[in-house]
Amino acid sequence: MKISVRVRGEWLQVPCRNGEMTVRWLGDESVRRYNKLQKQDDIKENREMEKAQEVRKTRGGVILDPDDNIRDVLDDNDFVTVVVASERSTTGTIIPENLKHILEPVPAKYEPPDEHIFLDGESLSTNDLRQLGKGRYKIKLTHEAEIKVKNARELVEKILQEKKVVYGITTGFGKFARTVIDCDKLEELQYNLIRSHAAGVGTPLNPEKTRMLLALRINVLAKGHSGISLTNLYALIKAFNASCLSWVPEQGSVGACGDLAPLAHLALGLLGEGKMWSPETGWGNAKDVLAAHGLSPMRLNAKEGIALTNGTQLITSLGAEAVERAYYIARQADVVAALTLEVLKGTSRAFDSDVQMIRPHKGQIAVAKRLRALLHSETHPSQIAESHRFCNRVQDAYTLRCCPQVHGIVHDTIDFVQGVITVEMNSGTDNPIVFAERGEIISAGNFHGEYPAKVLDYLAVAVHELASMSERRIERLVNPALSELPAFLVKDGGLNSGFMLAHCTAAALVSENKALCHPASVDSLSTSAGTEDHVSMGCFAARKAIQVVENVERVIAIELLAACQAIEFLRPLKTTVPLEEVYNVVRSVVRPWDKDRYMAPDIEEVTNLLLEDKIWGAVQHHITYYHAPEEMETRVFSPTAVMIGDKQRERANSESPSKKRRLE
């Protein structure tokens, strides 16, 4: 057993045999080894009598009891910090206590990935970026990308040799664009830029979002239009692959010139300054975290400071997460809506394919097709549907009947937004832009975040409608006047409140979304002494979009819980096979409500099912099977589907034999 120990900023590896020794022994042994390795004899002599004052787990800053055995409180290859008597370490308080639960979500038993994604600046998808954020891949550069990066850097070096005046290379930045910098101060200029621009505030990005930000910046640099050296691009990749992640506050970007403050914070940690996190070390000083992984701080040359800070990568990486999560919740919202319609004894006639084809929006057609595959048919019969076949209802409420029309535009919006975000992810958004093949560097405006800002505002407005529809369906489920079910879906109402407050939570989230859907990108404030006189406010648009999606996920979770509870009052009748599978997935984590209990954990469990796409996984193969033979549908009996005399016979005779068998 061996432990990595930090003493006075240096990392040592201390063998602990079988771990039977105490934590006190580990602390003293670490200090002894540290002093032994010091080259200055006077320092060694003064410190030989020092003892360890406390030992902390590096990850989380937890103080260890000196009398505990090492093997009882530490695992092999764990990281700890030893504080000597003459030194009060700030390691334990480097992160505020109220943020630790947000910033350290990775399990202690972190397993680094074995697989790699090759980045070339041209072909990264939103799903790829999300998986990189989750830590499922490491990064490599393609050979073509290496050549482009090298050629761009050679052009920058040529400009330096010829002492040409070029913005961002031999001049200051923004309002200082006309200030020429002496050659011997160009390196200092890069560090000044990073340090001065690292002026963000607020809650820092969690590790997943920071990984996405770093991965996307690497992808853009790999395009070969930034002028960064291949050496420093490799340094970013090594930091990513070791999951060494800088402290990046989420507030401070106006979205032009790109995300300057967040990207400066990202770069600052890679310079060995500020705070940094890794799964092995937890939070610490950036230099120490890098050293623990055998990495050295980057050394910047001309143009490299601005190459690291100029671009729309925070807007776009957050946007990629928002649109990916929106995609998953939108298709699962269709499934949950089908289950609610079923337990409220609605009809599927409104989803007839002919109805959709005379208003042929892509999303509307797809949602109706999905609903037909889930609801009562010859392929997937439903006892619940059969139980009200001859009821006197004429039509359903809009939140049931109009799902294809409302959910459909959400799906179409997500597709549109994903297209724009994907283009942005693989775009050169620097300033100035290096064109090695032309031997030219151009100062332009690709850093402006208006594209992702506008579509992310649009995404928030669209995906909000899923929760707006869902909350109204929850109302119909819990209201006995509308559902014909027990009030708030619980026995012994009055003694039990059931889903009363769960519906209130859904209503609160929908109301919150109404405020969050106000577009951020309609605002602009002039910055940089009037040089940057129109900005996108895209970072806030992206942050709001994620919050809207999170709220939608929770509202859909509450509807799913309520719909499954409603089924309990319709038993022993069964719904269709795919919807029964949805019910079973939910019941695998949440039992039925027979009386009141702590509800928040149930909502969290079902929200996690949606985040893991398990509701879609339960029905996907059934939908595929239903539509596999040919493009057909089941048209079930309904009092609203009236065909008169000869027209009915004429239509029946015109149907193919296989289609006739599926008509009712």
Side-chain angles (χ1 to χ4, degrees):
M1 184 176 186
K2 55 186 180 296
I3 304 295
S4 295
V5 184
R6 180 168 59 198
V7 181
R8 298 185 185 277
E10 296 291 343
W11 286 96
L12 310 170
Q13 194 159 77
V14 180
C16 302
R17 296 192 291 278
N18 57 6
E20 289 183 349
M21 293 79 73
T22 64
V23 170
R24 180 180 287 104
W25 174 89
L26 175 63
D28 292 342
E29 176 66 10
S30 301
V31 173
R32 186 191 69 79
R33 286 172 177 262
Y34 172 82
N35 289 333
K36 175 184 176 183
L37 295 171
Q38 297 305 297
K39 294 180 180 179
Q40 301 96 324
D41 291 336
D42 55 334
I43 294 177
K44 178 181 177 182
E45 183 177 347
N46 290 334
R47 291 181 177 172
E48 272 186 343
M49 300 304 294
E50 283 188 325
K51 298 291 183 181
Q53 181 166 308
E54 63 183 38
V55 179
R56 292 177 178 266
K57 289 193 72 169
T58 308
R59 188 171 179 273
V62 177
I63 299 177
L64 301 178
D65 188 328
D67 294 325
D68 284 340
N69 290 336
I70 294 171
R71 66 183 181 186
D72 293 334
V73 292
L74 295 171
D75 295 318
D76 191 27
N77 290 314
D78 259 354
F79 287 71
V80 301
T81 295
V82 171
V83 182
V84 296
S86 61
E87 170 193 55
R88 286 300 305 174
S89 172
T90 59
T91 302
T93 57
I94 198 165
I95 299 300
E97 289 294 332
N98 65 322
L99 292 182
K100 284 183 178 177
H101 69 288
I102 299 173
L103 299 172
E104 296 194 348
V106 176
K109 291 291 186 180
Y110 172 73
E111 293 292 336
D114 295 323
E115 296 183 71
H116 290 78
I117 282 183
F118 283 83
L119 297 186
D120 59 4
E122 309 288 341
S123 53
L124 189 65
S125 71
T126 54
N127 182 59
D128 290 338
L129 187 59
R130 189 88 196 279
Q131 299 310 311
L132 285 164
K134 290 178 180 293
R136 293 176 181 166
Y137 298 101
K138 292 182 178 179
I139 288 174
K140 287 184 178 180
L141 285 185
T142 64
H143 179 63
E144 293 77 12
E146 291 175 333
I147 293 173
K148 289 188 292 184
V149 170
K150 183 179 178 182
N151 290 342
R153 185 63 202 176
E154 287 176 352
L155 177 58
V156 172
E157 295 292 344
K158 183 178 180 182
I159 288 171
L160 293 170
Q161 291 171 6
E162 296 176 358
K163 298 183 178 180
K164 292 184 177 180
V165 177
V166 178
Y167 172 73
I169 298 180
T170 56
T171 74
F173 310 103
K175 193 68 177 177
F176 298 119
R178 297 182 181 180
T179 302
V180 179
I181 308 300
D182 293 339
C183 293
D184 60 347
K185 293 185 177 180
L186 290 179
E187 183 176 322
E188 181 183 355
L189 174 67
Q190 311 310 308
Y191 287 88
N192 289 346
L193 176 70
I194 300 295
R195 290 164 181 157
S196 66
H197 283 37
V201 298
T203 303
L205 302 178
N206 65 24
E208 182 174 325
K209 288 180 171 62
T210 310
R211 259 193 293 265
M212 291 179 70
L213 175 62
L214 179 54
L216 186 54
R217 191 61 203 160
I218 291 168
N219 188 62
V220 171
L221 294 171
K223 289 186 72 68
H225 293 291
S226 302
I228 195 170
S229 67
L230 201 54
T231 299
N232 276 336
L233 182 51
Y234 281 141
L236 267 69
I237 293 172
K238 289 176 182 177
F240 178 90
N241 290 343
S243 207
C244 292
L245 307 173
S246 304
W247 170 283
V248 182
E250 62 180 18
Q251 293 174 283
S253 171
V254 295
C257 294
D259 296 311
L260 293 173
L263 288 172
H265 280 278
L266 185 72
L268 189 70
L270 298 168
L271 298 180
E273 300 180 23
K275 296 186 282 286
M276 183 173 270
W277 177 93
S278 82
E280 290 86 355
T281 67
W283 285 99
N285 295 315
K287 186 176 180 180
D288 294 338
V289 175
L290 289 171
H293 293 274
L295 302 177
S296 300
M298 287 194 305
R299 292 295 306 272
L300 297 180
N301 298 303
K303 177 63 168 78
E304 294 192 296
I306 198 168
L308 291 170
T309 58
N310 213 314
T312 62
Q313 279 67 62
L314 184 56
I315 305 172
T316 311
S317 59
L318 293 178
E321 178 181 346
V323 77
E324 277 290 303
R325 289 172 65 171
Y327 169 75
Y328 287 116
I329 194 58
R331 63 183 184 179
Q332 292 179 108
D334 296 344
V335 179
V336 176
L339 184 59
T340 296
L341 181 140
E342 175 78 341
V343 298
L344 291 176
K345 298 182 178 179
T347 176
S348 62
R349 292 303 292 143
F351 312 139
D352 188 294
S353 62
D354 287 345
V355 172
Q356 320 312 317
M357 291 310 297
I358 62 172
R359 195 194 191 200
H361 292 295
K362 178 184 173 183
Q364 177 177 329
I365 292 170
V367 173
K369 182 177 178 182
R370 191 169 292 156
L371 293 171
R372 293 197 304 270
L374 294 169
L375 295 166
H376 175 63
S377 67
E378 185 180 83
T379 305
H380 298 137
S382 165
Q383 294 174 347
I384 294 175
E386 285 288 353
S387 72
H388 63 91
R389 184 173 181 183
F390 299 103
C391 67
N392 61 358
R393 294 184 186 179
V394 176
Q395 59 186 15
D396 294 318
Y398 287 2
T399 51
L400 302 174
R401 195 193 335 160
C402 299
C403 274
Q405 290 78 12
V406 180
H407 287 209
I409 183 58
V410 178
H411 287 282
D412 287 344
T413 301
I414 292 168
D415 288 346
F416 169 70
V417 174
Q418 187 171 42
V420 173
I421 293 296
T422 300
V423 170
E424 189 75 8
M425 285 169 50
N426 294 287
S427 297
T429 56
D430 293 84
N431 186 49
I433 301 171
V434 180
F435 291 97
E437 67 280 3
R438 292 171 51 176
E440 189 174 4
I441 295 180
I442 300 176
S443 181
N446 277 5
F447 52 74
H448 203 293
E450 198 74 7
Y451 263 100
K454 277 289 184 283
V455 298
L456 291 171
D457 279 335
Y458 183 23
L459 178 70
V461 171
V463 78
H464 158 72
E465 293 302 326
L466 297 176
S468 181
M469 292 276 281
S470 178
E471 183 274 329
R472 289 291 81 202
R473 291 193 297 264
I474 297 169
E475 160 69 9
R476 304 192 76 81
L477 286 165
V478 302
N479 187 337
L482 301 174
S483 69
E484 301 177 3
L485 295 166
F488 305 110
L489 302 173
V490 72
K491 298 175 183 177
D492 299 325
L495 174 63
N496 295 304
S497 296
F499 280 71
M500 184 186 295
L501 262 292
H503 174 234
C504 288
T505 297
L509 293 173
V510 169
S511 181
E512 183 178 299
N513 274 358
K514 291 174 184 176
L516 291 171
C517 284
H518 178 81
S521 63
V522 299
D523 186 29
S524 175
L525 291 171
S526 180
T527 60
S528 192
T531 303
E532 299 162 3
D533 57 346
H534 182 277
V535 297
S536 71
M537 298 300 178
C539 188
F540 188 38
R543 288 165 48 216
K544 288 194 310 92
I546 289 180
Q547 185 60 60
V548 169
V549 173
E550 287 179 352
N551 289 345
V552 170
E553 290 163 346
R554 292 187 172 99
V555 174
I556 299 297
I558 292 170
E559 181 188 358
L560 179 54
L561 266 174
C564 287
Q565 180 64 17
I567 288 182
E568 307 300 339
F569 297 101
L570 301 177
R571 295 303 194 201
L573 299 178
K574 288 186 174 293
T575 181
T576 64
V577 170
L579 294 181
E580 285 289 341
E581 286 208 26
V582 171
Y583 170 86
N584 291 335
V585 170
V586 172
R587 287 289 171 255
S588 70
V589 296
V590 175
R591 70 183 190 277
W593 274 61
D594 53 355
K595 60 181 180 180
D596 282 351
R597 64 174 186 265
Y598 184 20
M599 181 170 272
D602 289 357
I603 297 172
E604 191 69 22
E605 289 284 359
V606 176
T607 301
N608 288 336
L609 291 179
L610 294 168
L611 289 171
E612 294 166 6
D613 208 28
K614 288 189 176 179
I615 300 305
W616 178 251
V619 301
Q620 183 178 16
H621 60 293
H622 292 294
I623 294 174
T624 302
Y625 175 75
Y626 178 87
H627 291 295
E630 54 182 300
E631 287 300 316
M632 298 186 303
E633 68 179 306
T634 299
R635 294 192 172 92
V636 297
F637 174 84
S638 167
T640 64
V642 178
M643 294 182 288
I644 306 300
D646 292 339
K647 289 288 185 183
Q648 188 172 17
R649 287 192 294 273
E650 179 183 329
R651 179 162 184 174
N653 290 333
S654 68
E655 304 289 4
S656 66
S658 60
K659 192 165 187 177
K660 284 181 186 178
R661 288 195 298 271
R662 300 185 70 174
L663 292 174
E664 294 182 9

